[in-house]
Amino acid sequence: MFWVQVVFNIPVDRAFTYTVEEEVPFGTRVVAPFHGRNLNGYVVGTEPPKEEEASIQLKPLHRVLDKEPLFDREYLMLARWIADRYYSSLGEALAAMLPGGKKETEVPLFEDAGEEVSVTPPALSSEQDLAVKEILSREEGMYYLFGITGSGKTEVFLRVAEATLQEGRGVIYLVPEIALTGQVVQAIRERFGSKAAVLHSRLTPGQRLTEWRRVLRGEAPLAVGARSAVFAPHPRLGLIILDEEHEGSYKSGSSPRYHARQVAMKRCSLSKARLVMGSATPSVEAYYLMQKGEIRGIRLTRRLSGGKLPDIEIVDLKGTEGVFSRRLQEEILHTHREGRQTILFLNRRGFSYSFHCNTCGYEMKCRRCSVSLTFHKQKNRMVCHYCGFSTRPMDLCPSCGSLDVGYYGSGTEKIEEEARKLFPEIKLARLDTDAVERKGTLERILKEFREGKIDLLLGTQMVAKGLNFPGVRLVGIVLADTGLHMPDFRAAERTFSLIVQVSGRAGRFAPDGKVIVQTYMPEHEAVKYAARMAMDEFYTKELGQRAELRFPPFSRLFRLVCRGRSEDVVRGVAEDLSAKLERELRGRAEVLGPAECPIGVIAGNHRYQIILRTKTFLPVHGVLKNQLSRNKLPRGVYLEVDVDPVSLL
Ligand code: ADP
Ligand code: ZN
Ligand code: ZN
């Protein structure tokens, strides 16, 4: 008779012992009976039962899913760290880290997988060369490539990766979700062929498992992927690359709410590996670490494909009719006459985002969420972007019956419609999650744009990041203010970063790139500094404000969100928890709230938040851990804990 200790993907932080006829190795996935159901779990121990379990009738395992383990004891330490740091159970941590597939796929992921295509890498510029030498001068350490858009950060990453592989050590190359379809993965596959494993969310579970095992066996020493690829199981990790470090998608939105940057730092220090991050717009936190010398900052200041940084012009929208200012129209036409291309960016899907009554002030909101519904003209529906609820549009006010109603604000659909009217001779396409619902559409549009069959590409985030098109002269930011009204201390940082990044798509291969930034707030610092590409000025100013308001990086935050159907119960729970924390923290952290979240209701759940702000992370983390383990929530109330939250909505 043998025994195994199993943890499950449930918010209960303990292991359960089961019996097995034959030995089951540590680190395999199993199915085991649990409260009348069969649950998938992970073997985290193979010891005989402890005393307190010896008296119970132990149940046998139901099934063993893997012949070979998926992780070892060292890897379990990382999982324990994740669970502890982010207040999840060990089982939840492992579920976030490991692939879910049951059977490896036989077909290779890429038909052309195999030998590397022989590409001759470009000769490095002197800045790139210095960067590579500096990073390779030590076996470990943290570096940051702070380089303008188009300064060749990718090539530095690739060279450092190559050198690390030659040392016989493994590489993890992280890219934000959005860029995955893009050019980086392409370049890696060309350069490293079958040595590269690709881990991303669009793989089937079986494909993920296959790629995982290739990494584990050392067959694919380089793993590229989005956030969760930071958990790739390299036998000897030597380097983690974190491209576009500032991206919000590196933070997980569900438990454990980890940040890939923090996990990468932890893994690199455990494995004595190098960490190389990069961006044209570092997060304020990363900039601060560079300033303090805790991360070695390396600057890249020149564009390498013959381009220059574009000229950025701010256009004040006050008094303009419609969404296209005269200046933007002129530049679009001018660009088109020269046979060159334009990208238009707007951070909002749909046609218009609010239905408003001018008589009584009624605004159409989601019945289940406290946010305005967005009008989608093609589907002819009012849609909630938080829960997916949709309803028929109306032409009179449901509250007072007035006909004086209208749609306000513009989304990408409306920009498209107006652009088609204004520029009938220009071939244009829209890229946003609605437009690319059908598989293959995204790839097709990008290909056509690259080949010059499309003159003007307009869309959301999808057109903003990572695209490198030689033909693009003009970038238009249709409305730069969309994020500035958010009640979030990172609003300015996000807006600044977005303007710089989107602008970076212009003029990558030509000296006369042009950007038009339309805004109702031309005086706002985020807009002004971005337009002047005044990087250090922006960060200095922003750091000053953060210091004054005691926000990160000058403090650490914990966010607790209580949610449930009954507002009274939820508020009560939050008030009670807040009072307890106040008592136990005894001044080691400020307890802010409870207050209703800025988005007070999502999908019928009322939301209240408490924010802890502190300078002493670990003691406060401990107090909170204690409190959470003792705190019993009433039925139907849930508590989300977010360590170092990136969103406070
Ligand atoms: P970033 O990631 O810094 O925005 P990229 O890595 O996309 O910049 O590089 C911008 C362009 O410069 C790409 O077209 C790339 O092929 C080119 N490039 C990079 N390094 C060199 C080099 N050493 N010589 C010539 N072109 C280069
Ligand atoms: Zn009305
Ligand atoms: Zn909703």
Side-chain angles (χ1 to χ4, degrees):
M1 174 87 91
F2 299 93
W3 295 272
V4 286
Q5 280 75 46
V6 178
V7 293
F8 300 101
N9 181 14
I10 52 173
V12 176
D13 200 14
R14 58 162 285 203
F16 299 86
T17 300
Y18 292 88
T19 58
V20 267
E21 306 270 306
E22 281 170 45
E23 225 169 325
V24 174
F26 177 97
T28 49
R29 296 171 305 169
V30 295
V31 181
F34 187 81
H35 287 297
R37 285 183 298 163
N38 278 327
L39 289 187
N40 288 351
Y42 309 95
V43 175
V44 297
T46 53
E47 282 98 60
K50 295 221 182 72
E51 263 171 51
E52 63 267 27
E53 283 178 319
S55 57
I56 330 169
Q57 179 71 39
L58 293 176
K59 293 208 176 94
L61 266 191
H62 180 63
R63 214 147 69 83
V64 179
L65 292 175
D66 300 305
K67 284 204 197 72
E68 312 228 320
L70 276 184
F71 59 93
D72 59 16
R73 284 174 202 273
E74 201 186 319
Y75 197 80
L76 188 67
M77 299 220 312
L78 179 66
R80 282 197 201 286
W81 182 83
I82 299 282
D84 177 65
R85 163 63 58 113
Y86 298 105
Y87 300 106
S88 77
S89 69
L90 183 58
E92 288 174 309
L94 284 167
M97 297 166 73
L98 303 173
K102 298 277 155 60
K103 266 182 69 187
E104 288 182 54
T105 46
E106 318 250 306
V107 240
L109 187 52
F110 299 102
E111 282 145 41
D112 58 342
E115 284 323 292
E116 296 138 62
V117 196
S118 64
V119 281
T120 335
L124 294 180
S125 72
S126 55
E127 282 184 336
Q128 286 173 319
D129 189 47
L130 276 174
V132 171
K133 289 209 171 93
E134 166 147 20
I135 295 165
L136 293 179
S137 68
R138 296 173 52 220
E139 286 193 354
E140 58 180 314
M142 294 200 281
Y143 302 89
Y144 203 111
L145 283 184
F146 182 10
I148 61 167
T149 51
S151 59
K153 294 185 280 295
T154 314
E155 191 56 41
V156 175
F157 291 144
L158 292 173
R159 294 295 176 100
V160 175
E162 218 163 1
T164 306
L165 294 181
Q166 261 153 27
E167 296 165 356
R169 302 200 291 165
V171 177
I172 296 176
Y173 195 136
L174 298 172
V175 291
E177 195 69 58
I178 251 143
L180 266 175
T181 41
Q183 290 143 346
V184 176
V185 174
Q186 181 67 24
I188 288 172
R189 303 234 318 102
E190 280 173 12
R191 206 68 75 88
F192 300 102
S194 60
K195 281 204 218 82
V198 182
L199 298 165
H200 65 73
S201 56
R202 293 209 279 174
L203 301 184
T204 65
Q207 286 173 323
R208 276 186 75 89
L209 181 60
T210 308
E211 293 294 272
W212 179 274
R213 291 223 182 266
R214 293 208 308 125
V215 176
L216 193 59
R217 287 193 292 256
E219 288 168 22
L222 187 152
V224 56
R227 183 174 68 228
S228 66
V230 75
F231 297 122
H234 292 74
R236 267 192 81 214
L237 184 64
L239 168 70
I240 299 182
I241 292 163
L242 191 85
D243 196 2
E244 310 290 0
E245 171 274 334
H246 63 280
E247 275 286 326
S249 64
Y250 283 127
K251 171 85 175 176
S252 167
S254 57
S255 177
R257 293 167 194 277
Y258 67 90
H259 197 297
R261 186 205 313 126
Q262 278 171 335
V263 178
M265 285 180 176
K266 182 67 187 177
R267 284 200 79 175
C268 286
S269 85
L270 286 175
S271 307
K272 302 208 180 324
R274 301 175 185 113
L275 172 60
V276 185
M277 298 173 269
S279 172
T281 55
S283 66
V284 172
E285 283 91 339
Y287 184 91
Y288 184 61
L289 290 176
M290 276 189 264
Q291 210 176 43
K292 288 205 299 182
E294 288 179 24
I295 299 177
R296 186 89 183 82
I298 302 172
R299 301 245 181 171
L300 299 177
T301 60
R302 287 191 298 123
R303 282 197 154 176
L304 296 178
S305 313
K308 287 224 175 68
L309 279 180
D311 172 52
I312 306 182
E313 180 178 330
I314 300 177
V315 173
D316 190 345
L317 278 180
K318 286 194 275 301
T320 310
E321 287 269 325
V323 285
F324 288 91
S325 65
R326 173 182 304 216
R327 280 296 296 130
L328 183 52
Q329 294 185 34
E330 285 166 5
E331 288 294 340
I332 290 174
L333 289 170
H334 172 78
T335 304
H336 182 58
R337 274 198 299 274
E338 286 192 342
R340 298 162 74 191
Q341 292 170 302
T342 295
I343 291 179
L344 292 182
F345 169 79
L346 180 66
N347 214 353
R348 242 180 212 142
R349 297 184 286 134
F351 193 78
S352 54
Y353 58 88
S354 98
F355 174 88
H356 185 87
C357 169
N358 293 324
T359 308
C360 75
Y362 169 88
E363 198 172 319
M364 198 188 307
K365 295 201 165 167
C366 175
R367 268 191 284 152
R368 316 171 58 216
C369 310
S370 45
V371 295
S372 302
L373 295 181
T374 303
F375 179 45
H376 286 245
K377 194 167 184 179
Q378 273 175 6
K379 295 179 183 152
N380 196 34
R381 304 290 288 176
M382 301 289 295
V383 180
C384 171
H385 286 180
Y386 280 85
C387 73
F389 166 82
S390 77
T391 182
R392 230 167 6 88
M394 301 181 193
D395 34 40
L396 53 88
C397 173
S399 173
C400 74
S402 163
L403 286 170
D404 186 10
V405 292
Y407 292 103
Y408 294 89
S410 320
T412 41
E413 267 189 47
K414 179 143 150 203
I415 309 293
E416 179 182 7
E417 191 178 284
E418 291 214 6
R420 285 193 195 282
K421 271 191 225 139
L422 279 169
F423 319 110
E425 70 282 17
I426 292 182
K427 288 189 292 294
L428 57 89
R430 192 180 94 227
L431 263 195
D432 55 32
T433 46
D434 300 315
V436 302
E437 263 170 14
R438 237 189 314 135
K439 230 183 152 191
T441 312
L442 175 66
E443 289 75 9
R444 179 179 54 78
I445 292 178
L446 289 179
K447 183 163 172 281
E448 290 185 6
F449 191 56
R450 180 180 312 283
E451 290 167 354
K453 291 181 188 148
I454 294 170
D455 306 314
L456 186 154
L457 191 62
L458 66 93
T460 53
Q461 247 77 330
M462 279 189 183
V463 300
K465 315 279 171 74
L467 299 179
N468 190 19
F469 294 112
V472 175
R473 168 179 174 269
L474 175 67
V475 165
I477 300 178
V478 176
L479 182 61
D481 330 351
T482 49
L484 284 174
H485 308 289
M486 297 281 183
D488 189 326
F489 70 92
R490 288 193 180 86
E493 172 182 350
R494 291 212 183 97
T495 301
F496 174 81
S497 161
L498 202 57
I499 296 175
V500 173
Q501 293 286 347
V502 181
S503 300
R505 305 307 121 211
R508 289 170 82 90
F509 291 76
D512 64 341
K514 178 81 190 170
V515 179
I516 301 274
V517 180
Q518 300 194 132
T519 175
Y520 289 101
M521 303 170 86
E523 292 306 316
H524 196 287
E525 273 151 22
V527 178
K528 268 189 344 202
Y529 288 123
R532 287 188 9 235
M533 293 276 173
M535 308 305 293
D536 293 299
E537 283 100 315
F538 173 77
Y539 286 102
T540 305
K541 186 98 189 179
E542 184 65 20
L543 279 168
Q545 280 176 8
R546 301 275 179 98
E548 202 170 299
L549 300 169
R550 296 195 306 285
F551 273 122
F554 300 98
S555 65
R556 300 284 291 268
L557 304 180
F558 297 78
R559 181 190 194 214
L560 294 94
V561 177
C562 295
R563 68 178 151 83
R565 299 270 150 193
S566 155
E567 179 166 12
D568 287 341
V569 175
V570 169
R571 194 195 305 111
V573 168
E575 276 165 2
D576 181 52
L577 183 58
S578 149
K580 282 185 191 148
L581 285 168
E582 187 92 62
R583 229 176 298 131
E584 282 173 41
L585 285 165
R586 275 181 273 133
R588 276 172 292 193
E590 290 169 80
V591 181
L592 310 174
E596 192 178 28
C597 295
I599 300 172
V601 189
I602 293 182
N605 281 298
H606 291 269
R607 306 166 75 239
Y608 274 77
Q609 65 178 358
I610 301 166
I611 290 170
L612 307 182
R613 177 160 63 184
T614 185
K615 280 189 180 283
T616 54
F617 181 79
L618 284 177
V620 173
H621 187 275
V623 169
L624 183 56
K625 178 142 214 157
N626 247 314
Q627 183 52 247
L628 293 173
S629 67
R630 275 180 288 137
N631 200 54
K632 268 199 77 69
L633 293 167
R635 243 168 177 266
V637 177
Y638 301 88
L639 181 65
E640 290 164 13
V641 186
D642 196 346
V643 182
D644 301 318
V646 294
S647 164
L648 301 177
L649 292 181

